[in-house]
């Protein structure tokens, strides 16, 4: 449900003047995340996520990054180019996307990496707790 509204709003984007849809924005599940065991207040850390790109017509676009207190919910967003789909390499490829995170609090952070939906349509997350030391 977290990403349903976002996906609905962005899945019909067109970059041409005609009525045909030439690309879609898609949130892809995170397979794993590389994070430090602890943070030091005031430092900046690279957070990396691994996900599977379904075909060569997918390209990394951005992250969805939601802040709620000490909780950070993160998802990987890709663009799927419909107009190029006939020429896509259909092989799934493991990809890595990263961002820098600056520690601005002395409290423990909770990262929730989006991993897709279960059979009942409920969002699933890889949850990682990272304490902050001084």
């Amino acid at each position: 449900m977290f990403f349903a509204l976002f996906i609905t709003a962005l899945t019909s984007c067109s970059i041409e003047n005609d009525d045909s849809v030439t690309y879609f924005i898609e949130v892809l599940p995170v397979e794993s995340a590389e994070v430090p065991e602890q943070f030091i207040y005031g430092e900046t850390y690279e957070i990396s996520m691994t996900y599977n790109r379904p075909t060569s017509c997918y390209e990394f676009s951005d992250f969805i990054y939601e802040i709620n207190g000490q909780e950070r919910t993160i998802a990987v967003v890709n663009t799927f180019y419909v107009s190029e789909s006939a020429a896509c390499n259909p092989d799934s490829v493991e990809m890595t996307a990263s961002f820098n995170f600056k520690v601005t609090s002395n409290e423990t952070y909770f990262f929730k990496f989006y991993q897709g939906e279960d059979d009942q349509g409920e969002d699933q997350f890889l949850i990682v707790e990272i304490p902050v030391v001084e």
Side-chain angles (χ1 to χ4, degrees):
M1 302 310 274
F2 172 73
F3 297 103
L5 184 58
F6 175 79
I7 293 169
T8 301
L10 294 178
T11 56
S12 297
C13 301
S14 176
I15 58 175
E16 296 182 8
N17 290 333
D18 65 354
D19 291 333
S20 67
V21 176
T22 58
Y23 70 94
F24 291 96
I25 302 298
E26 189 170 336
V27 176
L28 297 179
V30 171
E31 297 295 322
S32 64
E34 188 175 318
V35 299
E37 289 185 24
Q38 63 186 23
F39 287 142
I40 297 173
Y41 177 79
E43 296 291 320
T44 300
Y45 296 86
E46 182 177 50
I47 308 288
S48 298
M49 291 156 285
T50 302
Y51 67 96
N52 289 317
R53 182 182 75 180
T55 73
S56 63
C57 285
Y58 283 77
E59 181 177 288
F60 176 77
S61 178
D62 205 352
F63 296 102
I64 297 174
Y65 189 87
E66 184 176 280
I67 300 171
N68 183 11
Q70 292 303 106
E71 185 178 278
R72 306 296 188 266
T73 305
I74 304 156
V76 174
V77 179
N78 271 226
T79 302
F80 171 67
Y81 294 96
V82 175
S83 60
E84 299 172 14
S85 62
C88 292
N89 179 340
D91 295 331
S92 178
V93 176
E94 187 173 272
M95 304 295 289
T96 301
S98 305
F99 66 93
N100 289 324
F101 178 76
K102 182 167 174 88
V103 180
T104 59
S105 170
N106 286 321
E107 297 179 36
T108 298
Y109 285 91
F110 298 89
F111 286 83
K112 294 173 60 179
F113 298 98
Y114 179 71
Q115 294 194 298
E117 294 181 347
D118 65 12
D119 293 338
Q120 288 76 41
E122 296 293 321
D123 292 335
Q124 301 296 299
F125 297 93
L126 168 62
I127 300 173
V128 180
E129 180 179 341
I130 306 174
V132 178
V133 297
E134 293 184 43

